[in-house]
């Protein structure tokens, strides 16, 4: 916290007026507003100005909230804003404040004279209690629990960002100033909506203090009262927007390199995937596809690009092209000329000339994506390029990064934004977010009914509305493989469900063992891409010989077999904001061991993934939460609330299935749309009760937004004498693609007697494998299967 002669804290406050959902107060230093947006969502705004500016947020999507009952109590000592779920209390004399839940448990509190401004810097300081843990914070390296660290929110090009390389690294490419506090068995969240530079000391300098400071702007704090993790993240994603459904092919395996330098090499890679029967849906084109790094171009090494892209498409490959924001400062370059005609570029500090900085294209100008007219222009440029046959766009260097100090745009550069004239320092973290917004707009302009696929290196809160996120230029180290797990879990908890890390590591060269282990892990993460650096050795699945190739093929193929389960999780994330990749604490919040686990994770509720993260390891300890868990490979059953040793030879990823899981799988294929899902293998694992929400749509268009989908609930219930699986009647307007359900009853000890809708049907029982199989013709109406 900044203190001294310039420090102006909140004190001697007076109640200015009561609004229906808020209380407004004033003092010499600031204007304060406390409001309730929902029963479990409170907001504190503090400004040095005489009035609050109109709502100007790049992050907040939901602007209007239904009114909820709010009680405002004012005395000569304090003001309280209260809902059914909690309350915010502000002490008038010295500005001390606290947020409590309905049971009067303190969730956040700031001592007197700890909230205010020092010149341009706003800050507050919260009390940390014993055993409190802090999660979220978007994209950050280091341990899962962020307490004890200093985190800086300032998007930067952090090459090779593993802790083993940069032990004190504070900031990465994506800044999401959102934290989840876990104390006394319950969760609560805090979000400071400010896209300028923020620094949070989470108990490093002072063990019991969480110090928050921003270099510019107001204090604008949102408090999420919980108490469950799903309550906090669900409300945060409601505030900042939820992920749209991506095209189904984007869930498949994607292959990249910096760079495949020629058309011939790209086509050779495509042929090898199909010849080796390794599933793959997308090939990425890095910066060498361009004409001297001019954005939205193909160079001489990629002749007749439309023909190339059409040939790839016929083989089932989608092409994803990299797009950097820097526009080459070449007066003959058509994109630059059209941009200059619009006056589309960020201005230099004095506000008259365009800022010019060096990036891959040499001297370049930077579009002002904070301006709607500029976003519309960029969208048109991208749409023109997309019509050649490009299927997706990869936004890179969009922190924004430059080659010269300060390695980004100077803070005094001028943006003429939708919200007025602002400095770059005030909106730096929103630049990548707004580029992704323009990119999504361009994809929809080129093909209004086709779902866009955008991935972005940089972003701010709300990036999930426009793009998937990958964790940037990681390294081919075992340490970074291990760090990718907590990194992706915290991104997922921060509203970004579609995320992943470069398989094998980007910098340096992987070993065959590292590539195999990373592919095993990544097959169960939302974004699934192999990417490597220009100076590293080849890193395709076959690059290390037949042994590693076979392991990679097996797990990539398994990813494709799990597609209906995975796609259902994406649909759930779209509806509710629930992460696809989840920490154990998501479902087992009252289990302290589960809450601390950061080297294993859940994919949905039913698959527990415990990757091998050390070289040479052939086994590892796995923590199993409460309930019954089955080894996916052997079927061995384990009681929860214990650690077990799982075997993990080179070809084995320790994987467990929750008892009662209903796990849908489909036959292998070379690419996702190679065949319809007419046959679904529904694996039924023994358990008491379970629910699978089956979801289908066309996987490609925006029609799902208009109800063009098919959904039904599949439930499992076990009684004393029988197990029952029920399919509800179908919902939605879309007919199902499924013609047959192949039921696979797992861990069956004797031949079962099965009835479908009361009619006896035969089941094929295999005693050695402890499973029974039968086929059920799919119908739109309810189906009841009884197993005795």
């Amino acid at each position: 916290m900044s203190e001294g002669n310039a420090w102006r804290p909140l004190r001697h406050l007076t109640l200015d007026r009561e609004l229906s959902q808020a209380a407004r107060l004033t003092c010499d230093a600031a204007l304060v507003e406390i409001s309730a947006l929902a029963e479990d969502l409170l907001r504190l705004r503090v400004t040095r100005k005489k009035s609050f500016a109109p709502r100007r947020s790049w992050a907040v999507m939901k602007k209007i909230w239904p009114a909820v009952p709010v009680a405002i109590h004012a005395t000569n000592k304090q003001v309280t804003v209260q809902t059914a779920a909690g309350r915010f209390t502000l002490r008038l004399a010295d500005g001390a404040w606290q947020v409590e839940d309905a049971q009067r448990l303190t969730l956040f509190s700031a001592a007197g004279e700890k909230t205010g401004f020092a010149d341009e810097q706003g800050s507050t300081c919260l009390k940390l209690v014993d055993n409190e843990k802090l999660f979220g914070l978007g994209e950050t390296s280091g341990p899962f629990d962020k307490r004890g660290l200093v985190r800086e929110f300032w998007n930067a090009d952090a090459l090779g960002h593993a802790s083993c390389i940069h032990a004190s690294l504070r900031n990465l490419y994506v800044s999401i100033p959102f934290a989840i506090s876990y104390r006394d068995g319950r969760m609560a969240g805090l979000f400071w909506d400010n896209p300028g530079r923020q620094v949070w000391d989470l108990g490093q300098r002072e063990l019991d203090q969480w110090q928050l400071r921003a270099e510019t702007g107001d204090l604008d704090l949102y408090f999420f009262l919980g108490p469950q993790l799903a309550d906090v993240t669900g409300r945060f994603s409601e505030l900042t927007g939820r992920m749209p459904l991506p095209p189904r092919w984007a869930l498949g395996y994607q292959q990249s390199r910096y760079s495949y330098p020629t058309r011939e090499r790209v086509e050779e890679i495509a042929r090898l995937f199909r010849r080796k029967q390794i599933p793959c849906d997308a090939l990425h084109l890095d910066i060498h596809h361009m004409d001297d790094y001019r954005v939205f171009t193909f160079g001489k090494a990629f002749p007749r690009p439309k023909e190339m892209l059409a040939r790839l498409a016929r083989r089932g490959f989608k092409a994803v092209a990299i797009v950097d924001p820097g526009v080459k400062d070449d007066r003959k370059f058509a994109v630059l000329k059209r941009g200059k005609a619009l006056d589309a570029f960020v201005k230099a500090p004095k506000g008259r000339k365009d800022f010019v900085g060096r990036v891959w294209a040499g001297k370049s100008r930077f579009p002002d994506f904070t301006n709607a007219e500029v976003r519309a222009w960029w969208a048109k440029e991208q749409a023109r390029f997309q019509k050649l046959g490009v299927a997706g766009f990869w936004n890179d260097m969009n922190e924004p990064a430059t080659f010269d100090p300060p390695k980004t745009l100077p803070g005094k550069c001028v943006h003429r934004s939708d919200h007025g004239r602002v400095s770059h320092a005030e909106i730096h973290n929103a630049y990548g977010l707004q580029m992704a917004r323009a990119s999504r707009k361009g994809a929809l302009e080129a093909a209004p009914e086709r779902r866009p696929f955008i991935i972005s290196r940089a972003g701010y809160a709300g990036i999930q509305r426009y793009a998937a996120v990958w964790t940037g230029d990681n390294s081919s180290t075992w340490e970074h493989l291990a760090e990718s797990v907590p990194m992706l879990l915290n991104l997922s908890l921060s509203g970004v469900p579609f995320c992943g890390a470069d398989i094998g590591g980007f910098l340096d060269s992987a070993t065959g063992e590292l590539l195999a282990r990373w592919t095993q892990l990544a097959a169960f993460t939302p974004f699934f891409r192999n990417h490597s650096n220009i100076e590293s050795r080849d890193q395709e699945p076959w690059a290390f010989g037949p042994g590693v190739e076979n392991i990679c093929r097996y797990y990539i193929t398994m990813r494709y077999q799990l597609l209906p389960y995975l796609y259902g999780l994406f649909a759930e994330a779209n509806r509710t904001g629930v992460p696809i990749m989840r920490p154990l604490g998501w479902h087992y919040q009252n289990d302290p061991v589960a809450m601390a686990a950061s080297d294993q994770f859940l994919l949905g509720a039913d698959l527990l993934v415990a990757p091998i993260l050390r070289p040479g390891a052939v086994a590892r300890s796995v923590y199993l939460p409460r309930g019954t868990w089955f080894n996916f490979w052997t079927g061995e059953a384990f009681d929860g609330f214990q650690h077990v040793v799982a075997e993990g030879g080179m070809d084995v990823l320790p994987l467990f299935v929750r008892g009662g899981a209903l796990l849908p799988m489909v036959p292998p294929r070379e690419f996702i749309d190679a065949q319809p899902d007419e046959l679904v293998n529904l694996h039924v694992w023994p358990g008491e009760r379970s629910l699978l929400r089956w979801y289908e749509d066309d996987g490609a268009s925006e029609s799902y937004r208009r109800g063009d989908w098919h959904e039904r609930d599949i439930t499992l219930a076990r009684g004393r004498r029988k197990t029952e699986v029920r399919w509800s009647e179908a919902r939605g307007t879309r007919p199902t693609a499924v013609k047959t359900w192949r039921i696979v009853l797992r861990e069956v000890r004797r031949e079962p007697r099965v009835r479908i809708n009361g009619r006896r049907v035969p089941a094929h029982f295999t005693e050695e494998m402890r499973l029974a199989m039968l086929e059920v013709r799919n119908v739109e109406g309810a189906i009841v299967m009884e197993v005795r």
Side-chain angles (χ1 to χ4, degrees), residues 763-783:
H764 178 70
F765 174 57
T766 306
E767 186 174 7
E768 309 85 64
M769 299 181 68
R770 301 191 301 277
L771 59 82
M773 296 175 60
L774 66 147
E775 293 191 352
V776 178
R777 185 174 63 88
N778 194 26
V779 295
E780 295 285 328
I783 304 171

Side-chain angles (χ1 to χ4, degrees), residues 452-514:
F453 175 61
I454 314 295
I455 60 170
S456 180
R457 191 171 77 174
Y460 179 58
I463 184 63
Q464 67 276 358
R465 302 195 301 263
Y466 311 120
V469 168
W470 95 102
T471 58
D473 295 339
N474 59 5
S475 303
S476 296
T477 66
W478 288 90
E479 291 85 354
H480 211 125
L481 170 64
E483 279 201 11
S484 70
V485 177
M487 202 170 190
L488 295 176
L489 290 175
N490 277 316
L491 258 176
S492 297
L493 292 177
S494 302
V496 187
F498 198 3
C499 58
D502 283 340
I503 299 167
F506 176 73
L507 288 177
D508 304 317
S509 292
T511 63
E513 183 187 8
L514 180 60

Side-chain angles (χ1 to χ4, degrees), residues 330 441 598 656:
D330 174 0
K441 179 179 175 65
S598 62
F656 293 82

Side-chain angles (χ1 to χ4, degrees), residues 251-254 481 484-485 488 499-505 514-530 555-556 559 566 581 601 603 609 611-613 653:
L251 278 61
Y253 178 78
Q254 306 188 35
L481 170 64
S484 70
V485 177
L488 295 176
C499 58
D502 283 340
I503 299 167
L514 180 60
L515 179 65
R517 291 304 194 191
W518 212 314
T519 303
Q520 291 171 347
L521 161 61
F524 296 89
T525 63
F527 181 54
F528 189 32
R529 181 182 76 163
N530 179 318
Y555 283 91
I556 294 170
R559 163 79 168 216
L566 190 61
M581 178 180 177
F601 61 93
L603 183 64
V609 184
I612 299 290
L613 302 172
L653 168 79

Side-chain angles (χ1 to χ4, degrees), residues 107 178 229 231 233 484 550 581 629 635 647 690 788:
L107 305 177
F178 167 71
L229 192 48
D231 300 328
T233 60
S484 70
N550 290 337
M581 178 180 177
W629 294 87
E647 300 297 324
S690 188
R788 294 180 184 268

Side-chain angles (χ1 to χ4, degrees), residues 166-347:
H166 297 296
S168 59
L169 189 66
R170 293 181 173 186
N171 55 315
L172 294 175
Y173 312 90
V174 176
S175 293
I176 303 178
F178 167 71
I180 300 169
S181 165
Y182 176 67
R183 58 164 76 172
D184 298 318
R186 63 165 298 149
M187 300 287 188
L190 180 152
F191 170 50
W192 187 347
D193 187 9
N194 183 334
R197 188 191 298 269
Q198 295 188 47
V199 179
W200 290 10
D201 182 330
L202 300 125
Q204 185 178 92
R205 184 177 176 183
E206 300 291 340
L207 298 180
D208 62 347
Q209 294 183 18
W210 172 5
Q211 302 177 36
L212 304 86
R213 172 174 56 82
E215 290 192 354
T216 61
D218 295 341
L219 279 86
D220 193 354
L221 304 177
Y222 293 82
F223 302 97
F224 306 85
L225 306 188
Q228 299 300 313
L229 192 48
D231 300 328
V232 175
T233 60
R235 191 66 88 183
F236 178 65
S237 67
E238 183 182 9
L239 180 74
T240 60
R242 290 177 179 147
M243 172 197 74
L245 276 177
R248 215 163 70 126
W249 63 260
L251 278 61
Y253 178 78
Q254 306 188 35
Q255 182 65 49
S256 183
R257 182 170 174 82
Y258 166 46
S259 279
Y260 294 126
T262 64
R263 169 179 171 170
E264 289 75 17
R265 181 59 174 157
V266 170
E267 292 184 332
E268 179 188 19
I269 293 293
R271 284 193 300 272
L272 285 167
F273 270 104
R274 295 295 179 250
R275 192 177 79 202
K276 291 175 176 291
Q277 297 183 309
I278 300 173
C280 183
D281 267 84
L283 298 177
H284 288 235
L285 307 176
D286 211 316
I287 57 177
H288 289 110
H289 81 271
M290 292 186 272
D291 175 16
D292 197 23
Y293 307 118
R294 292 174 177 85
V295 68
F296 302 131
T297 66
F298 281 97
K300 293 179 180 178
F302 286 80
R304 303 180 303 283
K306 191 171 185 177
E307 175 190 87
M308 177 193 73
L309 296 171
R311 289 181 65 176
L312 290 173
R314 285 194 294 272
R315 292 178 176 173
F317 290 98
K318 305 294 191 294
V320 179
I322 198 167
V323 178
D324 292 348
V327 178
K328 189 175 181 65
D329 195 28
D330 174 0
R331 59 187 179 87
K332 295 181 180 180
F333 182 30
V335 174
L336 181 82
K337 288 195 290 186
R338 289 190 289 266
K340 288 180 68 176
L342 185 66
D343 199 16
F345 300 107
V346 177
K347 297 299 179 184

